[in-house]
Every structure is written in structure tokens, then in C-alpha cells.
Amino acid sequence: MSRRLPVYLLIDTSASMTGEPIEAVKTGLDTLVSALRTDPQALETAWLSLITFDSEARELVPLTELIGFQVPPIEARGVTAYGAGLKAVTDAIHRDVQKATAERKGDWKPIIFIMTDGMPTDDWHMAVESFAAAKPGLVVACAAGANAALEPLQAVTQNVVSLDTADRASLSAFFKWVSASIAVSSSKVDLTKKDTSDLGELPPPPDEIKVVI
């Protein structure tokens, strides 16, 4: 079995995502999975997990190979338990990611994409420390819309991007870029035998996506 590239999608599904944003997330996830299934390297290497957070965190899809990944029903509700979401990803990394042994090479370091449109409503600071201790690979966080807080995202990664609005066009562009980024990372680890660790190793983001400096 080839070394897996675990990819975790941590998506805000709080009530502020009701309407166009949550529908755009569903469409974006469908498009992402369909696009990756046309990429032979991604099919062989990338495994996806979907974790959402509103008033609590939910692992909607555990780490699954692309061919078997099904986008589940998603609804917007509740508040923004960002800390619970980070904890859920941290727990999943500890559980899922296979470490190297004398007999086999372990998985590649996981890639995590985070998207939120608001401010955390729980105490997220302790979750940041645990998340960092799990030693993920590349972490990309997206602040979607004017009400998305940057500080909680910048606490977990230097790779923060923003969308001016959380509308269909912006979120569609984001998920297409995430799909392309996963595809590029799948090829990169195969060719270079090195983990993806920097935003500069991903495709340039489209105009809708601004890199936060």
C-alpha cells in the first residue's frame, strides 16, 4: 500500500452559514471530490476526512480513500465552537495517521484546510496547543467574509487566506483551489518524497482569495 496523504477539511457550519454559504459548501465539496477523482496521483495517495463545527464538532466523514468518499448531508446551525473543531482534528490525527516503523514508511504529514465565517464562541486557546503538538504538515486557514476573526486562525498557522464574502462565487473558488492544492500536494510527495509544508508550494490562489500577510 502506498503512503497515504491524509487531508482534513475542518468546516464551520454555524447558523451564520445558513442559506447561500452552506449550499455553496455542499456544492464545493462535491466539485472537489469529483475533480480529485480524475487525478490518478490523488486517487492513489490522498485520503479525505470532513469535520464540521457549530455548537459542537462532528466527524462527518472519517479518513476515507477518495474513491469511497461520499459528501454527507450538511446543515447550518448553532454557534461557532472552533476550539472543539480543532480538538476533533487533533484527535483524528492521533488516531488515523500511521507513524513509520522498522517495517514500513508512515503516512505523509497531514494537510488541514480550515474555513470559518465567524468568531469562536468557545475557549479555543488550549486546543491550539494540542493541535500544534500533533505536528500536522501544511495547515491553511480561510477567513470567509467580513465577520471572520483572523486571530484564531493565525494562532494555528501562518498560511491564512481570506474571502471578502462567503457567497457562492467566493466559496466555489476556494474549494476549487483546495482541490487543486490537494492534487499538487499528491504529486509533490510522490515526486520529491517530501511533505508539503508551505503555501508557496501550492497553486497560486485565484483573485477571490487573498493571502493574509
Side-chain angles (χ1 to χ4, degrees):
M1 182 177 174
S2 62
R3 296 176 72 180
R4 302 183 304 175
L5 176 63
V7 180
Y8 294 92
L9 306 174
L10 179 60
I11 306 296
D12 182 345
T13 54
S14 58
S16 56
M17 292 286 290
T18 299
E20 183 179 351
I22 202 70
E23 293 305 318
V25 166
K26 296 175 190 175
T27 303
L29 289 169
D30 283 330
T31 302
L32 178 151
V33 173
S34 297
L36 287 175
R37 283 182 178 154
T38 67
D39 185 295
Q41 194 57 56
L43 263 179
E44 184 176 332
T45 309
W47 287 54
L48 289 184
S49 171
L50 175 63
I51 297 171
T52 59
F53 61 100
D54 39 68
S55 296
E56 59 187 48
R58 298 175 181 82
E59 184 184 54
L60 294 189
V61 184
L63 197 64
T64 302
E65 57 185 326
L66 266 175
I67 200 67
F69 188 95
Q70 298 291 326
V71 178
I74 303 170
E75 61 180 277
R77 58 189 166 191
V79 292
T80 310
Y82 172 67
L86 286 180
K87 182 180 184 303
V89 174
T90 302
D91 291 345
I93 290 171
H94 286 306
R95 183 184 66 242
D96 300 337
V97 179
Q98 297 174 357
K99 293 182 168 55
T101 67
E103 290 77 34
R104 70 176 183 195
K105 294 179 178 178
D107 292 330
W108 299 107
K109 283 187 177 181
I111 298 177
I112 295 96
F113 290 95
I114 304 169
M115 192 278 290
T116 181
D117 76 332
M119 298 184 67
T121 53
D122 61 353
D123 185 1
W124 50 272
H125 296 86
M126 290 286 287
V128 169
E129 293 181 24
S130 301
F131 178 77
K135 293 184 166 53
L138 177 67
V139 181
V140 178
C142 176
N147 296 320
L150 290 175
E151 182 196 351
L153 303 180
Q154 291 169 322
V156 297
T157 181
Q158 295 179 322
N159 303 307
V160 179
V161 299
S162 67
L163 304 173
D164 288 341
T165 57
D167 62 9
R168 188 175 301 277
S170 296
L171 288 169
S172 174
F174 173 70
F175 280 102
K176 286 179 181 175
W177 179 65
V178 170
S179 177
S181 298
I182 295 169
V184 165
S185 297
S186 297
S187 296
K188 177 184 177 296
V189 295
D190 183 60
L191 289 171
T192 67
K193 310 304 178 193
K194 293 180 181 178
D195 292 295
T196 302
S197 59
D198 186 79
L199 199 61
E201 299 175 75
L202 302 182
D207 292 341
E208 292 89 343
I209 300 173
K210 310 291 192 297
V211 177
V212 177
I213 306 299

